[in-house]
Amino acid sequence: MTYASRVLEELDEAECLRLIASGGIGRLGYSGRYGPTVMPVNYRLYEGTIVFRTAPDSATDEDLRTGIANAEFKVAFEIDDFDTAARTGWSVLVQGSAHHVESEAERASIQGAGVDPWPGGDRELFLRVMPSRITGRRVSHTGQDAGITGRPRP
């Protein structure tokens, strides 16, 4: 297989959302107190937002609090799936604000997202990435059906 047989395709928002709809592992990126920070977290897509959990007063919680009412940090959230042997795959980037879920009504609603943290301990703080921009790319073989690469089509 040559480089010429692979194509880079820009994905529209609908296709990006389809690819990430099942949840899984993504990478949260932000400017933390010690500089650029990127960490893997398990997430779910819920009501058009990325939802994940962390521990109250954790480094993530503290780094993403502005101390200003109704002000939220800008973050990036990246999700991908690759077949390294075939050199194909896709990547989705969600950019937006990190929102702490603090009201009881919102917390009750978001618990339906089914986000169960992988690590043990107290992970009762829900955070949402409220998208302002969703973009994606896919590398596939020329003529390959987009459904072959990445998560299966519903």
Side-chain angles (χ1 to χ4, degrees):
M1 185 98 16
T2 65
Y3 289 116
S5 66
R6 287 188 293 276
V7 295
L8 178 64
E9 171 191 6
E10 298 292 325
L11 304 176
D12 63 24
E13 186 172 318
E15 177 65 358
C16 291
L17 290 170
R18 185 193 71 76
L19 288 168
I20 67 174
S22 63
I25 301 293
R27 290 164 199 82
L28 176 68
Y30 60 92
S31 181
R33 64 188 135 173
Y34 300 111
T37 303
V38 178
M39 61 178 36
V41 297
N42 62 298
Y43 79 96
R44 297 292 279 179
L45 185 65
Y46 182 72
E47 296 180 345
T49 67
I50 301 291
V51 178
F52 63 96
R53 291 166 66 168
T54 191
D57 302 318
S58 66
T60 304
D61 175 24
E62 291 179 7
D63 279 354
L64 295 177
R65 285 196 187 271
T66 64
I68 302 168
N70 301 316
E72 298 174 330
F73 270 101
K74 298 296 183 191
V75 298
F77 197 84
E78 190 270 346
I79 308 102
D80 55 46
D81 189 33
F82 296 102
D83 179 340
T84 55
R87 295 185 176 186
T88 60
W90 56 264
S91 174
V92 171
L93 178 63
V94 178
Q95 296 167 293
S97 300
H99 171 74
H100 285 73
V101 175
E102 296 179 323
S103 79
E104 286 303 317
E106 185 179 13
R107 183 176 170 74
S109 169
I110 213 162
Q111 285 181 320
V115 180
D116 295 319
W118 285 17
D122 177 23
R123 307 253 185 253
E124 294 305 313
L125 176 63
F126 287 85
L127 289 164
R128 295 176 95 163
V129 177
M130 312 298 276
S132 57
R133 183 171 186 239
I134 301 173
T135 58
R137 306 184 313 170
R138 176 176 18 236
V139 175
S140 60
H141 298 291
T142 305
Q144 180 182 18
D145 181 329
I148 295 172
T149 302
R151 296 189 174 116
R153 290 187 184 266

